[in-house]
Amino acid sequence: MITVRLFAAAADVVGAKQLELAADTIQDVVSQLSDSKTTTQVISRCSFLVNGATAQPDTPISDGATVDVLPPFAGG
């Protein structure tokens, strides 16, 4: 199991700030979080971190890892 922490719009569309999931890659996380058109549109624009490091869709995730789901942020 991994811990998925969701922020801002990602947390809003998923309806949770933190989840426990079984996933092997970031793409697995995206698939599990994308359950409607609105959710898919938000999650597909997010950036992902695995244990604080930038991750791509094919990035492997080890058991016990923390994945942060970060939507685009405005401002500077």
Side-chain angles (χ1 to χ4, degrees):
M1 295 296 278
I2 63 166
T3 300
V4 178
R5 300 186 305 182
L6 300 115
F7 296 88
D12 291 343
V13 297
V14 171
K17 291 185 178 186
Q18 185 168 308
L19 301 167
E20 299 294 319
L21 299 176
D24 295 320
T25 65
I26 291 297
Q27 185 57 51
D28 292 342
V29 173
V30 171
S31 295
Q32 291 183 54
L33 296 179
S34 300
D35 63 359
S36 71
K37 183 177 179 184
T38 303
T39 305
T40 301
Q41 288 174 348
V42 172
I43 299 301
S44 68
R45 296 184 321 193
C46 289
S47 297
F48 296 85
L49 302 176
V50 176
N51 295 329
T54 303
Q56 300 302 317
D58 61 347
T59 299
I61 306 171
S62 342
D63 195 39
T66 298
V67 174
D68 293 325
V69 182
L70 306 167
F73 292 97

